Amino acid sequence: MFRLDERLKVYLHRAPVDFRLNINGLATLVQQALGLDPFAACVYVFSNRRRNRVKILGWDRNGFWLLLKRLEEDRFIWPAETAAPTLTVEQLHWLLEGIDIGVVQRHPQRVYQHVG
C-alpha cells in the first residue's frame, strides 16, 4: 500500500499543468521538466492554473499511484517560486489543508553539548 510516511521526499512542480494529463504525461513532466526519476521513492505534486486541484504522482514497487484533490470553492496556497522545491510530508499535508507553508516557521533545532 502507498503511504505518505515522514521519510518520503515530496517534490513540487512549480508551473500549472493541464489536468487532462494522465500518469504517463505527469511521469514525463517529472523526467523532463524537473529532471527527476518518476520511479524513485518520492511523490510529485502538481496543480492546475486555477489552483483548485492538486494531483500527486507516486511510484510504489510495481505501479504508479495518482491521487487527486479538488476544492469546491477554495484555492490551494502555492509556495513562493523556487526551482523544484522539496517539501516534507508534513508540509504537503499543510498545503492540502490550505495552510500557507511559506509563512509557517518552526523553532530552530537546538543541539546542546552539556546538561547544566
Side-chain angles (χ1 to χ4, degrees):
M1 178 169 166
F2 186 73
R3 296 175 191 219
L4 293 176
D5 66 10
E6 61 188 40
R7 295 169 304 195
L8 189 66
K9 284 196 174 197
V10 179
Y11 292 96
L12 191 67
H13 187 268
R14 293 298 318 140
V17 300
D18 182 352
F19 261 42
R20 294 175 290 184
L21 287 176
N22 57 15
I23 290 173
N24 294 338
L26 293 175
T28 301
L29 268 178
V30 167
Q31 198 168 26
Q32 293 178 355
L34 297 177
L36 299 170
D37 180 11
F39 300 102
C42 336
V43 294
Y44 306 95
V45 183
F46 305 89
S47 177
N48 63 345
R49 188 172 308 283
R50 292 177 51 204
R51 300 281 192 234
N52 66 341
R53 295 180 186 188
V54 166
K55 280 188 178 180
I56 301 173
L57 178 71
W59 174 259
D60 180 34
R61 297 180 308 127
N62 59 359
F64 282 103
W65 282 90
L66 184 61
L67 298 105
L68 168 73
K69 182 169 184 178
R70 179 184 76 189
L71 299 178
E72 296 302 321
E73 295 184 25
D74 299 311
R75 303 282 181 261
F76 291 102
I77 302 169
W78 222 239
E81 193 157 327
T82 59
T86 58
L87 304 176
T88 65
V89 171
E90 183 177 33
Q91 289 172 321
L92 174 60
H93 287 289
W94 293 344
L95 180 93
L96 295 173
E97 287 293 322
I99 298 171
D100 185 352
I101 62 175
V103 177
V104 176
Q105 293 183 3
R106 290 188 169 276
H107 291 259
Q109 183 175 356
R110 307 284 185 202
V111 178
Y112 297 100
Q113 299 298 322
H114 302 285
V115 178

